[in-house]
Amino acid sequence: MTGAVDLKALLQEARVAEVLDQLDRELVGLAPVKARIREIAAFLVVTRARKQLGLESTTPNLHMCFTGNPGTGKTTVAQRMADILHRLGYSRKGHLVSVTRDDLVGQYIGHTAPKTKDILKKAMGGVLFIDEAYYLYRPENERDYGQEAIEILLQVMENQRDDVVVILAGYKDRMDTFFKSNPGFSSRIAHHIDFPDFSESELLEIARLMARELNYRLPDAAEAALREYIERRVRQPHFANARSIRNALDRARLRHANRIYADAVAGNAETSADALQTLDEADIRASSVFKTPPEPDTDPPYSSPLFNERSLFRDARRGH
């Protein structure tokens, strides 16, 4: 076999480096995850080059499993992987369809197959991301229809793997149990990537980035309070990494808004741009995470009916 392929030109044409750089910008830390994504990207580039020279004839198995705790960036990495697959010609559309058990499994006979097939139809040409995939399998319930969805997924993962990539996600221990109970899934997964928890310093950097994206400033005192908040929060139940940090900032923003609103009602006619974008130390320390003993941070910090945390953030987990 003779011939050659310009890999540098192939990379420039596909602009894969742009996606990898975007991943670096979007996610703090996660060095092992980013390294694995770069390895997979390199494999895809070389496989495409081999195809051009007639050294490859089949599409490689690209189904994946992402394991780790909530809020560790699994969905974001799945989105970037969908971009990479599309740019290198491994998917027609490059879109991501994110689902859970409720999107795939019906509640009565004859309902599951149409639901699962409809989701798969939407995912064709892209990536299907199934979060908490282990909930598909509930052996304790004889009337559960999750097994029907599993069988359909397995068939598509085998016979149409050139048109859809499936990424399963969830806690590592539960996914390990799921694979033991469903060896057909395990044999179809080519890439396993484990997502570590963020360190406290990484969580603080994530908070800085989130605040900056939302056009808020964190003065030194507020940042110190946030650092202490993180130190306390990571040791409490239901902590969810970056997701908990997002919830903490959302609550701080609500306290900030109530404070600014109360000043206006009290007669302060003008509010400066600086005041509108500065989160004070008090906005952070009002969290019940600072109480001793700590209590779930769920109650509104102010009584104003205009800003009600429970109504605006119903999806915030208890204790964030």
Side-chain angles (χ1 to χ4, degrees):
M1 173 67 66
T2 59
V5 175
D6 188 340
L7 284 180
K8 186 175 181 181
L10 194 157
L11 281 169
Q12 290 176 342
E13 177 188 354
R15 305 195 316 279
V16 174
E18 292 179 9
V19 182
L20 297 175
D21 290 343
Q22 182 180 4
L23 194 62
D24 281 333
R25 292 194 303 272
E26 289 177 331
L27 292 177
V28 173
L30 297 180
V33 174
K34 293 173 180 176
R36 287 285 286 119
I37 297 303
R38 290 181 182 277
E39 289 174 359
I40 294 172
F43 168 72
L44 296 175
V45 170
V46 172
T47 300
R48 179 173 169 180
R50 285 171 53 84
K51 269 194 171 185
Q52 290 182 6
L53 294 179
L55 300 172
E56 296 272 354
S57 59
T58 60
T59 301
N61 179 7
L62 296 171
H63 302 310
M64 306 177 193
C65 178
F66 292 175
T67 53
N69 290 326
T72 48
K74 295 185 291 294
T75 303
T76 299
V77 172
Q79 291 170 336
R80 299 290 78 80
M81 179 54 66
D83 290 342
I84 292 171
L85 292 170
H86 180 56
R87 294 184 183 216
L88 288 172
Y90 290 93
S91 70
R92 293 182 289 109
K93 301 177 182 177
H95 65 299
L96 180 78
V97 176
S98 181
V99 301
T100 62
R101 171 193 162 90
D102 291 343
D103 300 298
L104 298 167
V105 181
Q107 298 180 346
Y108 51 84
I109 295 175
H111 191 207
T112 295
K115 288 189 71 172
T116 303
K117 290 177 180 178
D118 182 57
I119 290 296
L120 284 166
K121 183 179 179 181
K122 293 177 181 177
M124 285 298 165
V127 173
L128 175 62
F129 181 82
I130 306 177
D131 199 14
E132 297 182 312
Y134 34 75
Y135 286 131
L136 290 173
Y137 182 66
R138 291 180 174 174
E140 72 281 359
N141 186 352
E142 295 181 357
R143 296 185 178 183
D144 184 70
Y145 304 113
Q147 189 62 41
E148 185 178 359
I150 288 174
E151 292 173 0
I152 295 171
L153 287 167
L154 289 175
Q155 185 178 15
V156 170
M157 288 171 71
E158 182 66 28
N159 299 333
Q160 295 178 263
R161 67 183 191 181
D162 59 340
D163 203 26
V164 64
V165 171
V166 176
I167 300 178
L168 309 179
Y171 291 106
K172 188 178 189 313
D173 57 344
R174 296 187 187 182
M175 288 306 303
D176 288 343
T177 301
F178 175 75
F179 286 136
K180 289 178 182 177
S181 302
N182 298 273
F185 258 123
S186 180
S187 64
R188 286 169 173 79
I189 298 297
H191 304 282
H192 292 262
I193 302 178
D194 188 46
F195 287 64
D197 289 335
F198 293 107
S199 67
E200 291 180 11
S201 60
E202 288 172 341
L203 290 168
L204 182 60
E205 180 60 25
I206 288 170
R208 292 191 190 108
L209 290 173
M210 288 180 174
R212 196 177 307 137
E213 289 175 357
L214 294 167
N215 293 314
Y216 283 93
R217 291 194 311 104
L218 289 167
D220 291 344
E223 187 168 303
L226 190 56
R227 182 182 292 108
E228 185 179 344
Y229 173 94
I230 292 170
E231 292 172 354
R232 291 168 174 253
R233 184 66 187 87
V234 296
R235 292 163 177 77
Q236 294 181 14
H238 312 298
F239 179 68
N241 286 280
R243 192 177 303 167
S244 290
I245 299 303
R246 169 68 73 181
N247 288 340
L249 282 178
D250 284 341
R251 292 180 185 281
R253 292 170 61 204
L254 284 167
R255 296 175 187 120
H256 164 265
N258 272 272
R259 176 169 54 79
I260 297 296
Y261 177 77
D263 287 345
V265 171
N268 188 356
E270 292 187 358
T271 303
S272 68
D274 184 65
L276 288 171
Q277 60 185 327
T278 301
L279 295 176
D280 287 348
E281 178 183 7
D283 300 325
I284 308 295
R285 292 195 179 277
S287 167
S288 59
V289 166
F290 289 97
K291 294 182 180 179
T292 304
E295 299 176 2
D297 188 15
T298 56
D299 292 330
Y302 298 92
S303 59
S304 168
L306 182 63
F307 297 101
N308 185 301
E309 286 179 309
R310 284 177 175 164
S311 63
L312 291 179
F313 293 97
R314 297 183 191 279
D315 61 341
R317 288 176 177 266
R318 192 174 179 223
H320 290 186

